[in-house]
Amino acid sequence: MAVTRIFIPRDVAALAVGADDVARAVTAQAATLGAEVALVRTGSRGMFWLEPMVEVETAQGRIAYGPVEPSDVPGLFAAGWLEGASHRLRVGRPEDHPFLAAQTRLTFARCGIVDPLSVADYKAGGGYRGLVKAIELGGAATVEAVTKSGLRGRGGAGFPTGIKWKTVRDAAADQKYIICNADEGDSGTFADRMILEGDPFCLIEGMTIAGLAVGATKGFIYSRSEYPHANATMAAALQVARAEGLLGRGILGSDVEFHLELRVGAGAYVCGEETALLESLEGKRGMVRAKPPLPALKGLFGRPTVVNNLLSLATIPVIMDQGAQFYADFGMGRSRGTMPIQLAGNILHGGLFETAFGLTLGEIVMEIGGGTASRRPVRAVQAGGPLGAYLPPSQFDTLYDYEAFAARDALIGHGGLVVFDDTVDMAHMARFAMEFCAEESCGKCTPCRIGSTRGAEVVDRILAGKDVAANITLLEDLCNTMKFGSLCALGGFTPYPVLSAIKHFPEDFHGRRLPVAAE
Amino acid sequence: MTLATTTTGWTREKAAEVIAEHRNLDGPALPILHALQETFGHVPDDAVPLLAEALNLSRADVHGIISFYHDFRHAPAGRHVVKVCRAEACQSMGGHALAEGLLHRLGLQWGGTTGDGQVTIEPVYCLGLCATAPAALVDGRPVGRLNREKLDAVVNEVRNDWSHTGRVGA
């Protein structure tokens, strides 16, 4: 009897809903039945409402079942899932599922499909073709290709990646660095984490190409302590890459040299800001640096440094492999390529949706996401993390691209969308934004350090019904000071959630709304 | 997968060994502090002068680094640590009321430890489990789609587990 391969995610979100228990149940039931199965632990396809989603390799391809509970396993075997038979949990071929079929997966092409620690799997899925191309082209042409692709920073600011690389390439120094900013602290975002857990070689290849392009032989991945599972997988992948000659000297038989280390932060949100990250990597308090000088010229240990978001770096291999024009042909306006959108919070179909820019916010939330999980009306969507604006359904016509969002005083940021139903209290969310800023401020600049504490106090007075109109004016004034007077995005962008809540949901600030169901 | 480990009692020699193991890295402070906390369950105040000497910094500088980062504790936590997510995605699924309820039932504030020394409840801002919210990390084990019953069950499970004497902050 042939061995049937069964794919079960070990992505932390799948583990959080019982993937390990399901894996144990599958192994036990196969042993009981004498069925020859081999378990492959993958990342996640990103259809989290179906997790744990199990895929069985059959003559018709991989057939998915989900969400699977351990108690479902005997029934799935009995129904004949090893042949892809029908069952109430049968999803079918994942690629045919509307949620995946509607996507354009470039950055996430392999995530959830491959064994994340198998170099053979990675290469079979197109891995290392990009680096081979970059070695052929050389550094200058590689930088040019990245510029032509139109790739912009995926961490929030949206700065053109190629221009940053060229600055570092043109700088003269004895040592240059590539830093991957994987300090994905924004609520509602998990794309970096999924790559770390599901396709780590993609990041390693992307960073190696960046090193070749700008002349850097050393790189750091700065991740978060809140991601222990992702860090364990990434650390294991680095060991495999070193052992297989994919890091170190003479990579792929060329003269490319690149060394890569994983570093883990210590629970400080502000270290996601690139200059605070540099200070933290140097072993200091994660205090923001004033710019200039730009990190591209004076970055880590004062050397020219590329600091890119994980998603930017993980997108480099496909750009080099398929060509700059291929990538640039996706998207609209100055927002080129694809964006891995993360659908989170109170949403029916939460997950990772990679698509070319240009859908409307409403299409993403209502059609792709299916509206709320609670089946109540959507009241607000926070876009771009805890420093992003809250948008009401009346703005669902906003196109998903950098410029259209900016025109509505909103941010795309790292691509997270957190959906709230009509039980949300927006004054509470505005207060939370200020409280979060106060908690996480590095303390270097006054508007952020003191403004956030005073901001929370002002919201408290509004909530208590004291001089509401005057206090709202005061809060708006304070937000302006923070927006224009802060050194970095933490203080500078906290006004986005606060002001958007006041603007779009005034009824929550002027006299209290009747409380809807509390939970 | 469990990330729980048994921690070691403080000795100067052990601390010096941990420091020596990492001091040749570029920017070694954070890796050393993580390793110290992993070893001792916290970063003991006695480690500060050792670290200052190794890194050629003042004691005040080292104290400044340790106190800046939320992860580092200068006293041991309970034997089990439950990190409950307070961020927006979890709030949108009732996480706020869920967490407040748990603290109320245990008679704790954020960061507090139960009287039996078994469980510390800590806030965390995003575990990346935003599509399976609300979520928590229990001794490093992720749990998602929480409701009151499920959260109480996992907390009670670790509270009744005396099998190991301590764990590290993940």
Side-chain angles (χ1 to χ4, degrees), chain A residues 83-105:
Chain A
E83 287 78 47
S86 69
H87 184 276
R88 77 186 160 81
L89 298 177
R90 189 178 190 274
V91 176
R93 287 182 2 115
E95 295 76 14
D96 298 337
H97 190 284
F99 187 83
L100 271 182
Q103 298 191 41
T104 303
R105 286 213 162 183

Side-chain angles (χ1 to χ4, degrees), chain A residues 46 249 272 321:
Chain A
R249 291 174 201 272
D321 178 27

Side-chain angles (χ1 to χ4, degrees), chain A residues 41 75 84 97 119 128 159 165 188 205 221 261 275 294 336 357 370 395 418 420 429 451 478 486 506 514:
Chain A
R41 302 304 297 267
H97 190 284
V119 172
Y128 281 104
F159 190 81
W165 285 21
E205 184 187 355
I221 299 165
E261 269 182 47
T275 60
L294 293 172
R336 310 311 314 174
F357 289 93
Q395 299 209 330
V418 178
F420 292 80
M429 299 316 295
L478 179 65
S486 297
L514 286 174

Side-chain angles (χ1 to χ4, degrees), chain A residues 16 22 36 42 71 96 110 114 128 184 189 255 322 341 371 389 452 487:
Chain A
V22 172
E36 296 261 7
T42 61
S71 58
D96 298 337
R110 284 169 300 264
V114 298
Y128 281 104
E184 181 179 58
T189 61
D255 59 359
Q322 305 276 331
I341 298 170
S452 53
L487 265 178

Side-chain angles (χ1 to χ4, degrees), chain B residues 92-111:
Chain B
S92 76
M93 290 298 280
H96 184 70
L98 190 71
E100 296 294 325
L102 176 71
L103 290 172
H104 179 74
R105 289 193 290 287
L106 294 174
L108 298 178
Q109 306 278 329
W110 286 110

